[in-house]
Amino acid sequence: MDLDTTPALLVDRDILDRNIARMAQSAASRGLSLRPHAKTHKCSEIGRRQLGAGARGLTVATVSEAEVFADEGFDDLFVAYPLWVDAARGARLRALADRVRLTVGIDSATGARQFVEHAGTAIGVLVEIDSGHHRTGVLPEQAGTVASAAREAGLDVRGVFTFPGHSYAPDAPDSAAREEADALAAAAASLRAAGIEPTVISGGSSPTAHLDVPTVATELRPGVYVFGDAQQLELGAVSESDIALTALATVVSARDEVIVLDAGSKVLGADRAAWATGYGRILGEPDARITALSEHHATVQWPEASTRPQLGDRVRVIPNHVCNAVNLADELITVSGDAVVERWKVAARGCNT
Amino acid sequence: MDLDTTPALLVDRDILDRNIARMAQSAASRGLSLRPHAKTHKCSEIGRRQLGAGARGLTVATVSEAEVFADEGFDDLFVAYPLWVDAARGARLRALADRVRLTVGIDSATGARQFVEHAGTAIGVLVEIDSGHHRTGVLPEQAGTVASAAREAGLDVRGVFTFPGHSYAPDAPDSAAREEADALAAAAASLRAAGIEPTVISGGSSPTAHLDVPTVATELRPGVYVFGDAQQLELGAVSESDIALTALATVVSARDEVIVLDAGSKVLGADRAAWATGYGRILGEPDARITALSEHHATVQWPEASTRPQLGDRVRVIPNHVCNAVNLADELITVSGDAVVERWKVAARGCNT
């Protein structure tokens, strides 16, 4: 590959486009809108490809991500986060709402009143519910109470959303998808009981998005599916041929069955779920494992000393959690086969506020 | 605190300066040179404070970090990494060596010959040895063989270095420091047996740097000590009053004894050693634990519901591994007490090549 240095993040454009098309078709075939989570790629070129394949808009996690995508011309954004809106954030939200169709998450009556005080009432909100991940969000049957308080404060309550993050465990995706469907149904009923008709019922995660579980959802928000990663691989949600993003790394040290690569936690991210088999995987060598990770070293146990790469050889590493890997890079190098095609800026890198 | 948004990385300047002075005095009292690892802070203002307190030069992990610090006027840099030097990296190293006193690591005869082919012979090298961390580096008794090969290839072999990374475990610092001292002594003897007198014998890590273990080392390279972090706290290497860097975060969701903060793995890093008690600690609340971490959420279990912070309150989070947290930020906000003093650029953020 014609790249003069490592480490670098490579995106296989052909696989990327296939992943985007497949998810778009899957959602369309079930009559669901698609609003992909852009925190995974943070990249306008990829967001445009998702809209081109039929996505309704983008999901983001922070106001600063929304600002970057608005600057890049995206006009329909959902901040899937229960923002605490103080004066400064309120001013930024009002400025955003002047130029894009903006929706924001809430998960408390207190948060809704705070929202109105600083951001006004021109922005739509979705009530976040907890479908089993136990992070943010209220219980489904409390959705109507929060929605009523938000409406009383003057907000346009458009519906409910959830993230079934408990799908990220072995054998969990199917049950998590069913719990999510039940929770969304209960939350929608709770809104209706409060006299509010939800027009958006939003859910989805990459491990569950391909499962055809009956649901009242109107919208899916998967993120990781564009690239895939070692977590999705180990959860069985994708196969290696679906992996669009890898870190190109060089062997800098070697002994017996062990090689050390120049891509560490400052390239791959330090993510390692309790059920993960290592700190990432090696493309084309399913039996190799990254057994230790420092900031600039990945220690890889190869199946056999006789077949391991040599000093100076390059290998492609599949990060465990691609969202955190992308957020460490300034650019993505797109390739087609072994040819470099172009470089895409990670425009929203580091946008945490 | 007069800051209009969270999350943000705060550096308490008074604690920072105390940490820098204390390590400088500790090294000086033992007759050791100090060459702090700048991968922790990536910030020229902090590097200058370290030199001002007596450090001999800086350590970096990558050529691009060296380029940034050279641009900022630092003139004595050691790349503590067994670089694989191809044509592109060789050209960059030669350009660097024209303007700074540069030393680079090697850990194989093959790597040394490759180095000379592309970077020439004007750059000094140290042979990396494995003192028990089992990452890169040769066994101490092999140091002379690698050093001889490097000298035969034309390189100026200045000595040996090691990183006792196996000090990062409970009750490990003392034994790791002793193994490091033994390994450095054996490596120095191996060089002398090959007819090479080592002028630099370099070691050290933040968990071991304060231990007064007899050693032949001439130089220490701790990094994390400037800030401290939750790992150092849990290893007993620092106390909470030594923690100079925290992430300021806002409570965005709350229930019972649980709060959710807006600083997740894209701010704190996803590091969690097997022995860590959580994904970071809360300043001033030693019994709170971060039990789950997503990209933009830290889920904190508070000791009691009655004392937990409320929606919109701000807390300060101590990251597990401060090097990875700093590398996610564009700037560090320095404070003195509760007053914001100035903003320092993380100049070498993302410099992985």
Side-chain angles (χ1 to χ4, degrees):
Chain A
M1 191 166 290
D2 185 25
L3 269 180
D4 67 5
T5 196
T6 64
L9 295 191
L10 308 183
V11 173
D12 186 304
R13 215 184 42 176
D14 307 316
I15 299 176
L16 173 77
D17 285 340
R18 195 173 67 212
N19 292 344
I20 289 172
R22 187 162 48 195
M23 184 64 78
Q25 286 154 11
S26 167
S29 73
R30 287 175 283 161
L32 292 167
S33 293
L34 187 62
R35 185 183 289 278
H37 210 313
K39 73 178 169 64
T40 299
H41 55 69
K42 291 175 172 278
C43 176
S44 58
E45 287 83 351
I46 297 177
R48 278 194 280 274
R49 287 170 126 81
Q50 291 173 317
L51 293 194
R56 181 193 194 95
L58 294 183
T59 303
V60 296
T62 66
V63 177
S64 53
E65 283 186 344
E67 288 166 338
V68 166
F69 282 99
D71 287 347
E72 299 275 347
F74 292 83
D75 62 2
D76 186 344
L77 301 170
F78 169 44
V79 186
Y81 196 85
L83 297 176
W84 180 258
V85 179
D86 54 19
R89 197 169 267 120
R92 292 164 62 200
L93 285 167
R94 284 195 306 269
L96 264 174
D98 284 344
R99 52 190 184 131
V100 303
R101 183 176 193 280
L102 189 65
T103 314
V104 174
I106 57 167
D107 84 343
S108 67
T110 308
R113 286 188 289 268
Q114 176 83 7
F115 190 104
V116 170
E117 181 180 344
H118 295 293
T121 57
I123 298 165
V125 296
L126 300 186
V127 177
E128 181 171 11
I129 61 161
D130 176 7
S131 55
H133 187 33
H134 307 323
R135 191 174 66 180
T136 45
V138 295
L139 294 176
E141 55 270 26
Q142 296 170 343
T145 307
V146 174
S148 294
R151 192 169 58 173
E152 200 166 303
L155 286 167
D156 172 20
V157 180
R158 294 179 183 156
V160 295
F161 79 104
T162 194
F163 172 61
H166 57 315
S167 63
Y168 277 77
D171 303 322
D174 195 70
S175 61
R178 288 176 199 283
E179 285 168 24
E180 179 195 21
D182 290 346
L184 288 173
S190 174
L191 253 66
R192 288 191 185 105
I196 299 172
E197 180 59 31
T199 55
V200 179
I201 302 173
S202 178
S205 68
S206 289
T208 58
H210 63 291
L211 301 174
D212 193 14
V213 171
T215 178
V216 299
T218 63
E219 177 180 278
L220 285 178
R221 305 188 320 279
V224 172
Y225 77 96
V226 286
F227 297 134
D229 60 19
Q231 288 186 162
Q232 304 292 326
L233 198 60
E234 297 201 341
L235 289 173
V238 305
S239 62
E240 196 181 280
S241 60
D242 302 319
I243 300 291
L245 185 144
T246 52
L248 186 69
T250 299
V251 178
V252 296
S253 191
R255 59 182 182 276
D256 307 326
E257 298 87 11
V258 174
I259 58 172
V260 180
L261 304 173
D262 63 358
S265 59
K266 282 177 173 169
V267 172
L268 305 172
D271 297 76
R272 182 176 176 167
W275 44 265
T277 67
Y279 290 94
R281 299 284 285 259
I282 307 296
L283 194 75
E285 188 51 71
D287 294 330
R289 285 296 178 279
I290 301 180
T291 56
L293 196 70
S294 310
E295 287 154 68
H296 298 280
H297 306 74
T299 304
V300 185
Q301 185 78 34
W302 211 261
E304 286 182 64
S306 61
T307 60
R308 71 152 164 81
Q310 302 297 310
L311 272 174
D313 285 352
R314 291 176 171 185
V315 302
R316 291 169 72 165
V317 182
I318 309 169
N320 268 348
H321 182 187
V322 74
C323 306
N324 277 335
V326 167
N327 186 49
L328 289 161
D330 291 314
E331 61 176 13
L332 305 175
I333 297 170
T334 66
V335 300
S336 182
D338 275 341
V340 172
V341 180
E342 55 186 336
R343 290 165 188 256
W344 291 343
K345 186 180 177 193
V346 184
R349 183 204 56 74
C351 289
N352 292 313
T353 63
Chain B
M1 187 165 293
D2 185 27
L3 269 180
D4 68 5
T5 196
T6 64
L9 294 192
L10 308 183
V11 173
D12 187 304
R13 215 185 43 175
D14 308 317
I15 300 176
L16 173 79
D17 285 341
R18 196 173 68 213
N19 291 345
I20 289 172
R22 187 161 49 195
M23 185 63 80
Q25 287 153 12
S26 167
S29 72
R30 287 176 283 162
L32 293 167
S33 294
L34 189 61
R35 186 183 287 278
H37 210 313
K39 72 181 168 64
T40 300
H41 55 72
K42 292 176 171 276
C43 176
S44 59
E45 287 84 351
I46 297 178
R48 278 195 281 275
R49 288 170 124 81
Q50 291 173 317
L51 293 193
R56 181 192 195 95
L58 294 183
T59 304
V60 295
T62 66
V63 177
S64 52
E65 282 186 344
E67 289 165 338
V68 167
F69 282 99
D71 287 346
E72 299 275 346
F74 294 82
D75 62 2
D76 187 345
L77 300 170
F78 170 43
V79 185
Y81 196 86
L83 297 176
W84 181 257
V85 180
D86 54 19
R89 197 169 267 122
R92 292 165 62 201
L93 285 168
R94 283 195 306 269
L96 264 175
D98 284 344
R99 52 189 183 133
V100 302
R101 183 177 192 279
L102 189 65
T103 314
V104 173
I106 57 167
D107 86 342
S108 67
T110 307
R113 287 188 287 269
Q114 176 84 5
F115 190 103
V116 170
E117 182 181 344
H118 295 292
T121 57
I123 298 166
V125 297
L126 300 186
V127 177
E128 181 171 14
I129 61 160
D130 177 6
S131 55
H133 186 35
H134 307 322
R135 189 173 66 180
T136 45
V138 295
L139 294 174
E141 55 271 24
Q142 296 170 343
T145 307
V146 175
S148 294
R151 193 169 60 171
E152 200 165 302
L155 285 168
D156 172 18
V157 180
R158 295 179 183 157
V160 296
F161 80 105
T162 194
F163 172 62
H166 55 317
S167 64
Y168 278 76
D171 303 321
D174 196 70
S175 61
R178 289 175 198 285
E179 286 168 22
E180 178 196 23
D182 290 347
L184 287 173
S190 175
L191 253 65
R192 289 190 185 106
I196 299 172
E197 181 59 31
T199 55
V200 179
I201 302 173
S202 179
S205 67
S206 289
T208 58
H210 64 291
L211 300 174
D212 192 14
V213 171
T215 178
V216 300
T218 63
E219 178 181 277
L220 286 178
R221 303 187 323 279
V224 173
Y225 77 96
V226 288
F227 297 135
D229 60 18
Q231 287 186 164
Q232 303 292 326
L233 198 62
E234 297 201 341
L235 290 173
V238 304
S239 62
E240 195 182 281
S241 59
D242 302 319
I243 299 293
L245 185 145
T246 51
L248 186 69
T250 299
V251 178
V252 296
S253 191
R255 60 180 181 276
D256 308 326
E257 298 87 9
V258 174
I259 57 173
V260 180
L261 303 173
D262 62 358
S265 59
K266 281 177 173 169
V267 172
L268 305 172
D271 296 76
R272 182 175 177 168
W275 43 266
T277 67
Y279 289 95
R281 298 284 284 260
I282 306 297
L283 193 75
E285 186 52 68
D287 294 330
R289 286 295 178 279
I290 301 179
T291 55
L293 197 70
S294 310
E295 286 154 68
H296 298 280
H297 306 73
T299 304
V300 186
Q301 185 78 32
W302 212 259
E304 286 181 64
S306 61
T307 60
R308 70 152 164 80
Q310 303 296 310
L311 272 175
D313 286 351
R314 289 175 171 187
V315 301
R316 290 168 73 165
V317 182
I318 308 169
N320 268 348
H321 183 188
V322 73
C323 306
N324 277 336
V326 168
N327 187 49
L328 290 161
D330 291 313
E331 63 177 11
L332 305 175
I333 297 171
T334 66
V335 299
S336 182
D338 275 342
V340 173
V341 180
E342 55 186 336
R343 290 165 188 256
W344 290 344
K345 186 179 177 195
V346 184
R349 184 204 57 72
C351 288
N352 292 314
T353 63

